[in-house]
Amino acid sequence: MMDIEGFRRAGYAAVDQICDYYASLQGNEHPVAAQVEPGFLSKLIPSEAPQHGEDWSVIEQDYQTKIMPGITHWQAPNFMAYYPCNATFEGGLADLHAAMISNPGFNWTCSPSVTELEIITLDWVAKVLGLSDDFLSTSPSGLGGGIILGSASEVCVTMAIGARERALRALAEEHPPPQTDSTNSAAAGPSNAAKAIAASATVLANSALSKWRGNLASRLVMYGTTQTHSIAAKAAIILGLDFRALEVTKEDGFALRGATLRAALLEDQSVGRVPFMLVASLGTTSSGAVDNLQEITEVAKDFPSLWVHVDAAYAGVALALPELREQCYSDALRHVDSFSTNLHKWGLVQFDCSPLFLRDRGVLSSALTVTPEYLRTRQGDAGSVLDMRNMQIPLGRRFRSLKIWFVLRSYGVQGFQEHIRRGIKCADVFAGLMGEDERFEMVAPPNFALRVFRLTSAGAAGGEDVDALNRRFWDMLQTRNSELLLTQTVLPDVGFCIRLVPGSTLCREEHMHAAWKVVKECADKTLGVQ
Amino acid sequence: MMDIEGFRRAGYAAVDQICDYYASLQGNEHPVAAQVEPGFLSKLIPSEAPQHGEDWSVIEQDYQTKIMPGITHWQAPNFMAYYPCNATFEGGLADLHAAMISNPGFNWTCSPSVTELEIITLDWVAKVLGLSDDFLSTSPSGLGGGIILGSASEVCVTMAIGARERALRALAEEHPPPQTDSTNSAAAGPSNAAKAIAASATVLANSALSKWRGNLASRLVMYGTTQTHSIAAKAAIILGLDFRALEVTKEDGFALRGATLRAALLEDQSVGRVPFMLVASLGTTSSGAVDNLQEITEVAKDFPSLWVHVDAAYAGVALALPELREQCYSDALRHVDSFSTNLHKWGLVQFDCSPLFLRDRGVLSSALTVTPEYLRTRQGDAGSVLDMRNMQIPLGRRFRSLKIWFVLRSYGVQGFQEHIRRGIKCADVFAGLMGEDERFEMVAPPNFALRVFRLTSAGAAGGEDVDALNRRFWDMLQTRNSELLLTQTVLPDVGFCIRLVPGSTLCREEHMHAAWKVVKECADKTLGVQ
């Protein structure tokens, strides 16, 4: 095991290795995608832990020679798959410090700085993105604020729990719980027979309450579109609730329109169902579409049971650019109930870091507060602090705000904006090159730094189905995944197509020229051009 | 923003600061509990992010002068509150490396090493703890294995989702879903009128299915005891299911007995309820109690719908010591359905790191798998890899296995065992000192490194209620929280009492003498002894 001086040596060496790694990423020295086969690592590592501690020099060496070859380089400039997963030096140092003062952060008292820095940096982020004051810890209502969770999926489930309880409380006013005998149990007295009667009365009462509650919950419906990330449907599955995916069209840029939403809400209401949550997308995964929040917030006014959550996992950080706010319906964003974005995607902060902002954070805490004696504190009892465990599913929480603080201070708002603008510029460079080649079409509007394209049927020989053609093209692109990494999707009214998303901190225009060269060569090969 | 050479300088400096910090912890130079008031940090930090990037030297300095004073030192040798939250140098270096190759790890292809090292290190941990082969990735059934989640609470909710779906599948065989018109919708044809009819038939069908499902789910009951951590009740609240807390007694050491469990299961079954999950505790928070797994697994044989999950958040790592396995019912552990422990408590691995082991990991993946086109991969489609997103609530996941690998290799199994043994020895030293002072009583059996005590009524003057006496004593102890940090709890048949849990990597016998001195002085003051 390592002592303080051992850590000094190992720490310096790790820093040097990371410096070498980033220099090699800049020099394009790694295959972007790991070139290993399933099961490769079990051939390199023993099947049980060593009895005696090993020298750090051996472990350090093994990290480089055994683990790193199985790493796909999300920080490489030619990684343009999925969405970016930015790393910054500042964020890495924050994670190191947080690891060395490790604490589970569930209550304010666990480490006051952990809770307080989170409140402060969330306000910073809200202001950088130009969100409404209603989402600040200093909101006029006194109810606004946020929490940093681990991912957009965790946000979606957590928010759904809050929205469900809010809807159930409203429903319970119309449909009060059944009268039960549970009050008898308190009065039943101390004899064993009386206790048994009381206990069985309690069981019956609980059973009746569960049925009542289950019946109400089974009326709730969550909404999204066919383009909403699967995290919304998964949240509904997790909570055992219904999810309805509304249709969107290519004509509308794959965005949800108000009329579609209103029709669905009315239809469900007409059969006694209760709309409790809409997951609106600000930047869908397949095409970067932004649901029409202007129309959605208008419709939502007529459906008070509906909680409007905006999932801006990827594109939320683009709100840092004033010139993109209109495209993001920033005016309408003032009227939604909650908003979240993943700073760990395009926002320079290491995974995981998903701020969630709410107009009324009490919706979470009234659904999620459980306080046994061993979690009580003087400050918590006095109500003078926020115990963040009460706004989330888990109890413990890492010190994630430190990385936001380090990054925003070191980059400044302008540095943050430059990074986002550079990503979009890179995407435009690629699209410009592709635009000169008529064998390709862009199949979705250019949203943020995402470009979605495919080969056109004009390029297909002998009447080959255009989807089949593009799947062959995709297979070809995958053979070049050491030089360029992309991912695929399927869009309604389009079919199979390919996504390209620059966004690494190292990506520059020259990498877009290199990317276009790979794409063009694969197209040539797919189409049989020599 | 920081470039490569800037990171080299900043990284070395951070390592040096951490070395200084650990030297100061060894020298007891910090107050254990942060000595700050609510709101302290907002007075020190501006309310918005800077427009222009700041020099790292300023940020680094602010971390030391503004953040650190609000940190409670969980790594300090005199931190004996809650449970430990171990940090090791090895774990910190792993977190640094993981941050700098940041990737969201949801699929094998995201970075093959992330998935493969997790499978390997989970097997290592299972072997160190002497778990049954059924929980290994190489289990005879081919179904065993695990996943690293973030906390025991996340484990509990995730496992409950799997167990719920398992129980609902069985219930659905007896109570099949309602016949609906949803098949019509596919055949409805392309006209708008036909589409509208089909759509509304779908809504009715979904409504009927939701009611059917809600009705079945409302029959499910989760079990624990009054001593089970609140994460179990919270999991039930999150999923909208019923949780029943069974009584335990001081006589039984606050552990669940088989007869109590059987009676409750039968009682619920008799009114049509379906027991679907028991959260059994191996080391409760209030007293370290171990539920009688021998009796519980016997009872469970008669209730096939019941999934037995063992929450060994704190004490699971004690299974690394052969001499403690009997106390942990290690034979009976072979027959439970799932087991989890937090390596980030007493297990030398930084927060967060909660391995969950299952006899049948398909129970999770059949409940949690959702695969849209943009998450499909060649290897995933071929079934040749495990995509771990399908065994958890969130999509993304950090590279947590790296810290397990670094720690277990650097400490070796023997080093790991020594750490656990030292914690128990420290607790024994304290208990020995207290045992010579008859004003105190230990109110629970000595479990692992947890000791629970209070002042006896013999020490109370003028007939003061013993709970009131101990609350005064507790207030007194809190005034000394810069020297020693403890936490409080309430035990059935006992009342208010105080917990002490040594377990920091820096804690040695001398710190137990110092702790006893503080406790004794506070008792003297509480009892009016000069």
Side-chain angles (χ1 to χ4, degrees), chain A residues 159-174:
Chain A
M159 200 57 261
I161 295 163
R164 178 193 66 188
E165 293 307 304
R166 173 177 172 269
L168 287 177
R169 275 196 301 276
L171 267 178
E173 289 185 14
E174 292 167 51

Side-chain angles (χ1 to χ4, degrees), chain A residues 11 30 56 106 131 162 175 400 455 509:
Chain A
H30 299 276
W56 186 254
F106 46 83
L131 298 185
H175 307 275
R400 296 186 180 111
L455 290 169
E509 293 185 27

Side-chain angles (χ1 to χ4, degrees), chain A residues 82-96:
Chain A
Y82 300 109
Y83 275 131
C85 186
N86 285 172
T88 48
F89 294 123
E90 293 86 344
L93 290 173
D95 269 357
L96 174 64

Side-chain angles (χ1 to χ4, degrees), chain A residues 72-142:
Chain A
T72 287
H73 304 287
W74 287 62
Q75 310 312 318
N78 38 356
F79 181 98
M80 303 183 197
Y82 300 109
Y83 275 131
C85 186
N86 285 172
T88 48
F89 294 123
E90 293 86 344
L93 290 173
D95 269 357
L96 174 64
H97 278 302
M100 296 315 299
I101 53 168
S102 193
N103 78 84
F106 46 83
N107 278 351
W108 179 88
T109 49
C110 281
S111 266
S113 288
V114 172
T115 297
E116 300 209 2
L117 191 63
E118 185 156 338
I119 293 169
I120 293 167
T121 54
L122 283 171
D123 284 351
W124 283 22
V125 172
K127 289 173 185 175
V128 169
L129 304 184
L131 298 185
S132 157
D133 287 355
D134 292 342
F135 295 114
L136 299 179
S137 73
T138 55
S139 67
S141 68

